[in-house]
Amino acid sequence: MNVPFKVSCMSIAVASIFMANVALAADEKAGVIRTESGIDFTPGLNSGLKYDDNITSASASADELDSWVLTVTPALQAQMQDGNNVYTVEAGLEYGDYFSSSDDNYLDALLKAKSELEFNQSNRAQLEAFYVLGHEDRGSGVFEGTSGALQDEANTFDILSVGGFYEYGAMTTPARVRLNAKYSSKDYTNFETITQYRSYDDTTLGATFYYDTQAATSLFIELISLDTAYDEVDPTGNRDSTTNTARLGVEWTATAATEGSVKVGYQAKDFDNTDREDFSGLSWDAKVTWKPLTYSSFDFSTGRASKDPNGAGDFIRATSYGVTWNHEWSELFATFLGFNQVTDTYTGIDREDKTKAYQLGINYNVTRWLTLKSGVNINQVNSTDNQFAFDRNAYFIKAEMTL
């Protein structure tokens, strides 16, 4: 299942905040604590202050709450390399303190482990598991459209994911095959009279067949089968489903100015409940980076897929487009400017949402171990159902620190 859009973004944001520190371990400038046991430790700390003018995503007809928000995110990565194998464990916390609304305070956590294994030149595998204690802002996720009126605290959940892949074929030969599997579960942990109907398990099986050309380009066929089972039957009817996707794609690297991946195909979503409307149609995902200059790049993305709704409706057909411009003006200063649009078309109910998100920011590399970031995130959500339409803007400044 595609996690509902706002929940998915939240989970990615939590993970990204944790990894913003530890990802610097791959940078030669990052501070690493090397031990005699062969395990390298990379600690990091983020601290941010932002002003959010609509913390509960309230619609224009409701009272909007605003607040300054302080976030603190410590993280630690431990990594060990044994021959061609790499083992990594990452952990992080994020605490959010709302100055004007203590009901919205939160504490999230992430624990992640990954093994990258290479048995020989033709056989490799990767195993990954993570556990997240996360939250949804009041008025979002399961409670979208309520302006937070039904909540006296943020909605919380646990996510457990275990999966990996096995790949056969030498990187120097044209053909390779990758088999992958993943199990994940999402369990809500408060407001259970409402949220019990949104806890679910996902089981994913897939295969990808690659054919490499001599021009740093791979052609591939991707097959994915996703089985979604909800813990409790929704009052509107069973939501369990199977989603099958088949796509043709191409990915390329190491060209003079571009790299990326484009895949286009067919997706079919079948519900166990015959009263719900099934989906079949075109599905695509594309991400392309264009670097006209060594210090300037443009990231383009677009996609279409089905996903389950947070509330009413059978499923959502989500179509997205985005572009981001990153530019390094000097060794000290860099800027980013981004735009993303998502159109969510619902089936089973008469509703369509269009979300526009703008990002503008500047990074200042104060020292090797300290980077300051400031900017603004502007979100505009228009909907055919006015209770889901809102504007939300956040102005931020944060510090990212490593050893």
Side-chain angles (χ1 to χ4, degrees):
M1 181 184 83
N2 285 318
V3 180
F5 178 71
K6 293 180 181 178
V7 177
S8 176
C9 288
M10 187 285 311
S11 301
I12 293 172
V14 170
S16 297
I17 291 170
F18 294 150
M19 295 309 110
N21 303 295
V22 297
L24 289 173
D27 191 316
E28 62 182 4
K29 298 185 297 183
V32 178
I33 302 173
R34 303 189 183 279
T35 65
E36 294 181 357
S37 64
I39 302 176
D40 296 338
F41 293 93
T42 306
L45 176 67
N46 283 5
S47 181
L49 181 66
K50 70 177 179 179
Y51 173 74
D52 190 328
D53 67 5
N54 188 4
I55 61 177
T56 62
S57 301
S59 63
S61 60
D63 294 331
E64 296 182 2
L65 298 177
D66 63 281
S67 179
W68 286 93
V69 187
L70 174 67
T71 58
V72 180
T73 310
L76 178 66
Q77 180 194 70
Q79 188 173 85
M80 182 179 70
Q81 185 162 353
D82 180 16
N84 293 326
N85 302 328
V86 180
Y87 306 92
T88 307
V89 176
E90 299 167 338
L93 298 171
E94 177 172 291
Y95 173 69
D97 185 2
Y98 287 73
F99 294 178
S100 302
S101 179
S102 59
D103 289 345
D104 293 283
N105 293 350
Y106 65 87
L107 178 63
D108 294 341
L110 170 72
L111 179 63
K112 180 179 178 181
K114 182 169 67 174
S115 298
E116 300 169 86
L117 309 173
E118 185 172 345
F119 307 110
N120 53 50
Q121 66 176 3
S122 298
N123 294 271
R124 66 197 63 87
Q126 180 174 299
L127 303 174
E128 182 176 271
F130 67 83
Y131 183 68
V132 173
L133 299 174
H135 82 286
E136 296 170 351
D137 292 345
R138 285 197 302 155
S140 69
V142 176
F143 289 93
E144 65 176 355
T146 68
S147 302
L150 302 179
Q151 301 170 266
D152 56 7
E153 62 180 351
N155 196 22
T156 59
F157 59 81
D158 299 343
I159 292 179
L160 172 65
S161 178
V162 180
F165 67 81
Y166 165 75
E167 185 173 278
Y168 176 76
M171 303 302 291
T172 55
T173 59
R176 291 177 289 126
V177 59
R178 174 179 293 187
L179 305 176
N180 61 278
K182 183 174 72 172
Y183 168 81
S184 62
S185 66
K186 182 173 184 178
D187 295 309
Y188 286 95
T189 54
N190 59 354
F191 303 106
E192 293 183 358
T193 56
I194 297 174
T195 62
Q196 62 178 319
Y197 305 111
R198 289 298 178 270
S199 296
Y200 64 86
D201 297 334
D202 273 349
T203 303
T204 306
L205 298 175
T208 307
F209 304 90
Y210 293 92
Y211 181 80
D212 298 337
T213 71
Q214 299 300 314
T217 301
S218 295
L219 306 176
F220 61 88
I221 300 173
E222 178 183 76
L223 305 174
I224 302 173
S225 179
L226 170 64
D227 183 73
T228 300
Y230 284 84
D231 294 353
E232 300 290 341
V233 176
D234 190 275
T236 64
N238 189 355
R239 289 187 174 275
D240 294 356
S241 66
T242 300
T243 305
N244 294 311
T245 306
R247 292 186 286 204
L248 297 174
V250 57
E251 60 184 23
W252 68 96
T253 59
T255 66
T258 66
E259 64 178 14
S261 173
V262 178
K263 45 190 176 182
V264 180
Y266 183 82
Q267 185 175 78
K269 185 179 184 71
D270 298 314
F271 287 97
D272 294 354
N273 183 354
T274 57
D275 292 332
R276 294 198 180 275
E277 182 178 342
D278 295 335
F279 162 78
S280 60
L282 190 64
S283 173
W284 71 80
D285 182 75
K287 297 179 179 65
V288 177
T289 298
W290 174 48
K291 296 190 68 173
L293 302 167
T294 57
Y295 49 85
S296 189
S297 65
F298 293 85
D299 296 318
F300 302 93
S301 63
T302 180
R304 170 178 281 183
S306 68
K307 62 181 183 181
D308 287 10
N310 291 315
D314 294 337
F315 71 90
I316 301 170
R317 184 183 293 112
T319 306
S320 64
Y321 302 92
V323 59
T324 302
W325 174 42
N326 296 281
H327 189 88
E328 297 179 4
W329 299 95
S330 69
E331 292 185 357
L332 295 179
F333 288 98
T335 57
F336 61 90
L337 178 64
F339 170 75
N340 190 72
Q341 177 176 296
V342 179
T343 301
D344 289 337
T345 304
Y346 286 70
T347 63
I349 59 172
D350 183 16
R351 176 183 167 190
E352 181 176 277
D353 297 351
K354 181 172 289 185
T355 302
K356 295 182 179 180
Y358 305 84
Q359 292 181 316
L360 172 64
I362 183 170
N363 299 343
Y364 174 41
N365 299 313
V366 181
T367 66
R368 179 201 60 76
W369 54 269
L370 174 62
T371 299
L372 298 179
K373 298 184 176 183
S374 64
V376 58
N377 295 324
I378 299 171
N379 291 277
Q380 301 172 344
V381 180
N382 295 312
S383 177
T384 54
D385 188 336
N386 289 333
Q387 67 176 317
F388 299 104
F390 65 90
D391 293 337
R392 183 174 180 176
N393 307 310
Y395 309 86
F396 65 88
I397 181 170
K398 60 183 178 180
E400 295 183 356
M401 293 165 278
T402 60
L403 284 180

